[in-house]
Amino acid sequence: EFEKMPWPLVILIAGGNVLGYAVEKSHLLEMTAQLLLGLPANVWIICAVSGLIMMAAGSFVSHTVAALILLRLFAKVGEALGHAKLLVMTSIIMCSGAMPLPISSFPNLNTFSVENGEGVQYLSTIDFVKIGIPCTLLAYCGSISITYGMSYIFGL
């Protein structure tokens, strides 16, 4: 099975590590932190915007890479607001919910590589897009509402 993996997609996921390095060295994270801290001092609005950022990142790079790149940023912004745990929790739920492409997560990639007896893939990229976009939007709504509310209830 390992030899049958779609290597261009595997290399694309591995390229996310290089992307993380480039984002860090370009100071893009510091600029994003300033953008978030420049928003109105409403924790829900900052959670909503950070969820959008995580949704975009988690959709186009693997969840692991998105978390490695962005969670430190959200922890710093949340700490400045006095709600580090809340911002990290809502962001990580969104990271896990971003799934519109085969490259979004390893399970997506693994599923994308499954073939029938004739070597034809069961799923195509458009299949992921059709189901993944509505699921990702649903995860976004859940991460900024249900997770946000539960985090407040449990004191995060």
Side-chain angles (χ1 to χ4, degrees), residues 1-94:
E1 288 299 317
F2 182 74
E3 293 172 354
K4 294 179 184 178
M5 294 291 289
W7 286 104
L9 288 176
V10 173
I11 291 170
L12 187 61
I13 286 177
N17 291 328
V18 175
L19 177 65
Y21 181 77
V23 165
E24 185 177 323
K25 291 299 179 186
S26 69
H27 303 288
L28 185 60
L29 293 178
E30 287 83 13
M31 291 187 292
T32 306
Q34 293 305 317
L35 173 110
L36 288 171
L37 291 171
L39 292 172
N42 181 315
V43 179
W44 189 85
I45 290 173
I46 293 173
C47 280
V49 173
S50 65
L52 287 172
I53 293 168
M54 185 60 87
M55 179 174 56
S59 295
F60 294 105
V61 298
S62 74
H63 294 157
T64 304
V65 173
L68 286 171
I69 293 172
L70 293 172
L71 282 182
R72 285 184 298 177
L73 165 75
F74 295 141
K76 286 180 186 177
V77 170
E79 191 173 5
L81 297 170
H83 295 285
K85 290 180 181 179
L86 170 64
L87 202 59
V88 168
M89 182 58 72
T90 56
S91 298
I92 201 63
I93 295 297
M94 185 61 249

